[in-house]
Amino acid sequence: MPQYMTLVLTDSLRAAARALATTPLAALFERDGRRAERLTFEWEDFRVDFAKERITPEVLADLAGLAAEAGVERWIAALFAGEKLNVTEGRPVLHPALRDPSTDPLTVDGVDVRAAMREVRSRVAALAGEIGRGERRGATGAPIRHLVHLGIGGSDLGPRLVVDALRPANRKGGVGVSFVANVDPAALDRALADLDPAATLFVVASKSFSTRETLANARAARAWLAAGLHAGADVGRHFVAATANVAAAAAFGIAPEAILPMHEGVGGRFSLWSSVGVTIAVALGNPAHAALLDGAHAMDRHFATAPLASNLPVVMALAGHWNANALGLRQRVVAPYADALALLPAYLQQLSLESNGKRVTREGAAVEERTAPALWGGVGTDGQHAFFQWLHQGTDVVPVEFIVPMVPAHGDRARHALLVANALAQAQALALGRSAADVAAELAGRGAGADAAAIAARVCPGNRPSTTILLPRIGARTLGALLALFEHRTFVEGLLWGINPFDQFGVELGKILAEPIAASLTGTGDLAPTVDPSTRALAERVRLAMER
Ligand code: F6P
């Protein structure tokens, strides 16, 4: 394991942060005529422009130097070498290996994990092909026409995003795919409302095969099948599992040939590249699934080999660290200007916050810096008519990440031009704002009254930072590369804070506490005497309401 020190800002960087916090972005553009060019980074057809951030090329270069001193390159190498970077769980971090076509062995604990991954991948492709050709049949002999993906968190958000992003708009026929994550019975009921049990297959995606929500939904699905098929029908034919817990999937009644394993070293929020991606292969076809993995692998190669100062995930992590820690901007808004990427903010929320929402270092000491800022967002242009008012004139300054495909996946050029123009205009408006003088002149030009309040209400202060990420047309390869870019950025951010981005122990306590509460609500158990009076009263109130 490489030696590692967290990124500690030097006094001169802290002074630069203080100055940049109050320097208008307009002044920075005036000061450096080549600012836009010097703060734009490219990889293939991706273009990332940090010129509207409160940063300078010199600051970025200094941060890259500190990252190098802190050992980031050695950690990147250790990631790709399959070292056990997930120290708190004693596991390697293997999602990059899942998209690596190399046949060179990658040995973990004496086993070539790459060979095992290849085998699973060919089983995934075979199963997806069989389903796609209508050759996979259920218990009655009817071909499977619909797949329902049951999973939550990382077992849901990644495949759901990819399928939503890449399903052709004009697709007719083929296998229908839907997703159910929530244990709210309404979610599964709605998904099943129009489906024929004889032609429906469930993919139970759960690394642990012990997540309560997913198992409860899988059991409800099994009951729905049993009720809808003939007596004694083999409901097991309607299930596929993607899991690291093969024994539990078998105990659930899933046939061994329908259990697609994944390695323990693949974290839930990185699992779309594993057998969990079987749903992607069914929904989009094997060539698109392969292109997705290929795009991610291309980004992996860049991350593994590019110098830190021009390494896109590293530079994005450094700029994010600068915003969150040097400038104290404690939120990030992600605004994809593509309907295909509407689910990206939710996906990134889990990726960033489950990875880097931590308060102790890898060694168990309290972190010295604040860690991941809150992340939220929504698709543009819709967001402009919702929360952008707050971004422009609210009292909080929040960096925005505009994600903009340059070319439409389909549809006419004029509407796409309007879409992109809106993204660029929003970033410009945030950066430059609108002064009282400009407002007054505009109002006067329109012959409108211009008292002080009318002017003040219209002023946009500007100097609100953003990054613009231009992408090529959204296709499988581009999306794969984009997701890998954010994965690696998240990894590097974790390194800079000295934390382990690959565990998520914070989610466990609530799961433990929910057990006895659920039992008390159904009358099958009692609350522990130590339960606080507030929770006890609320649970009792709900129990009474449910009994009525
Ligand atoms: O939310 C916590 C979590 O452990 C995530 O990390 C994971 O993606 C999700 O639950 C689902 O877990 P599993 O795939 O084991 O069902």
Side-chain angles (χ1 to χ4, degrees):
M1 192 76 56
Q3 281 296 310
Y4 188 75
M5 298 178 311
T6 54
L7 186 143
V8 180
L9 294 174
T10 57
D11 288 346
S12 68
L13 278 170
R14 289 196 186 281
R18 280 192 296 277
L20 284 164
T22 52
T23 309
L25 284 161
L28 295 178
F29 280 113
E30 265 165 37
R31 220 179 268 173
D32 179 356
R34 290 183 54 236
R35 178 175 168 81
E37 185 191 325
R38 294 176 70 207
L39 283 170
T40 295
F41 294 76
E42 288 182 320
W43 171 81
E44 292 197 356
D45 284 340
F46 285 48
R47 194 182 170 92
V48 184
D49 176 0
F50 298 98
K52 296 190 190 77
E53 296 285 358
R54 295 174 176 179
I55 202 164
T56 62
E58 293 73 23
V59 164
L60 253 186
D62 284 357
L63 290 172
L66 289 180
E69 279 171 30
V72 167
E73 277 151 323
R74 288 193 297 283
W75 280 87
I76 295 173
L79 171 78
F80 289 102
E83 285 190 39
K84 294 189 175 171
L85 300 190
N86 181 357
V87 280
T88 48
E89 296 181 299
R91 291 174 183 162
V93 178
L94 294 178
H95 55 276
L98 288 163
R99 51 231 187 179
D100 188 346
S102 160
T103 50
D104 294 347
L106 180 67
T107 309
V108 175
D109 294 332
V111 176
D112 178 8
V113 291
R114 223 162 2 220
M117 286 170 177
R118 261 199 312 279
E119 199 218 312
V120 173
R121 202 160 148 216
S122 63
R123 286 181 60 199
V124 166
L127 181 63
E130 193 188 345
I131 296 171
R133 291 189 301 274
E135 291 168 6
R136 173 90 186 186
R137 292 176 190 279
T140 67
I144 295 302
R145 304 302 310 147
H146 204 97
L147 184 157
V148 181
H149 182 104
L150 305 177
I152 197 162
S155 293
D156 168 72
L157 292 160
R160 195 192 283 255
L161 160 65
V162 172
V163 171
D164 189 60
L166 301 178
R167 282 220 114 183
N170 52 2
R171 192 169 187 275
K172 289 202 181 71
V175 177
V177 172
S178 37
F179 291 82
V180 176
N182 200 344
V183 74
D184 181 343
L188 187 64
D189 288 354
R190 274 202 285 240
L192 300 183
D194 296 324
L195 300 187
D196 172 9
T200 301
L201 179 79
F202 292 91
V203 169
V204 186
S206 176
K207 177 180 169 183
S208 61
F209 219 87
S210 66
T211 301
R212 294 287 172 192
E213 295 95 319
T214 303
L215 289 191
N217 279 334
R219 279 192 289 270
R222 193 167 56 187
W224 177 79
L225 288 166
L229 298 171
H230 57 272
D234 179 8
V235 294
R237 288 200 57 74
H238 294 257
F239 281 99
V240 165
T243 185
N245 189 350
V246 172
F252 182 85
I254 301 180
E257 51 88 19
I259 301 176
L260 302 167
M262 61 193 275
H263 196 283
E264 281 286 3
V266 176
R269 52 194 171 276
F270 305 94
S271 66
L272 79 97
W273 318 101
S274 73
S275 57
V276 167
V278 66
T279 302
I280 297 172
V282 171
L284 308 176
N286 283 323
H289 186 218
L292 181 84
L293 273 72
D294 179 52
H297 178 63
M299 182 56 75
D300 291 343
R301 293 319 305 147
H302 167 72
F303 182 52
T305 56
L308 294 187
S310 57
N311 189 313
L312 217 46
V314 173
V315 175
M316 283 175 74
L318 293 172
H321 192 277
W322 180 252
N323 278 340
N325 295 93
L327 299 173
L329 304 174
R330 300 300 308 161
Q331 300 183 55
R332 269 171 75 186
V333 159
V334 177
Y337 274 66
D339 231 48
L341 300 179
L343 301 183
L344 186 67
Y347 166 86
L348 292 179
Q349 214 164 43
Q350 192 212 21
L351 177 64
S352 176
L353 303 186
E354 202 166 81
S355 298
N356 289 332
K358 311 277 168 71
R359 50 185 284 288
V360 293
T361 65
R362 208 175 284 106
E363 293 77 28
V367 290
E368 281 170 21
E369 297 271 14
R370 294 172 77 188
T371 58
L375 187 158
W376 57 281
V379 73
T381 53
D382 307 18
Q384 289 172 210
H385 302 274
F387 58 87
F388 269 60
Q389 160 65 36
W390 180 86
L391 293 175
H392 287 291
Q393 289 188 316
T395 48
D396 291 272
V397 173
V398 177
V400 183
E401 293 164 31
F402 290 94
I403 303 176
V404 188
M406 292 179 278
V407 193
H410 45 75
D412 67 86
R413 213 173 135 187
R415 276 181 298 159
H416 184 73
L418 192 56
L419 177 73
V420 174
N422 269 283
L424 303 187
Q426 290 299 320
Q428 192 184 4
L430 286 167
L432 303 181
R434 183 164 63 162
S435 68
D438 286 349
V439 171
E442 196 212 313
L443 290 177
R446 283 200 267 135
D451 62 24
I455 293 171
R458 287 167 175 79
V459 166
C460 290
N463 204 25
R464 302 206 160 191
S466 69
T467 294
T468 301
I469 304 174
L470 293 183
L471 300 177
R473 186 191 311 271
I474 296 285
R477 191 175 184 281
T478 297
L479 184 58
L482 181 70
L483 300 185
L485 170 63
F486 277 108
E487 283 180 349
H488 295 321
R489 168 197 175 151
T490 305
F491 166 53
V492 176
E493 284 177 334
L495 291 180
L496 301 178
W497 288 311
I499 58 183
N500 173 15
F502 300 114
D503 63 16
Q504 58 286 316
F505 292 111
V507 303
E508 282 184 2
L509 177 59
K511 291 183 192 177
I512 297 166
L513 296 177
E515 289 290 316
I517 298 176
S520 84
L521 295 180
T522 52
T524 56
D526 291 321
L527 290 176
T530 48
V531 165
D532 67 87
S534 160
T535 306
R536 181 176 297 280
L538 292 167
E540 183 58 11
R541 182 76 183 77
V542 175
R543 189 183 64 76
L544 291 172
M546 284 171 66
E547 273 174 7
R548 246 183 257 137

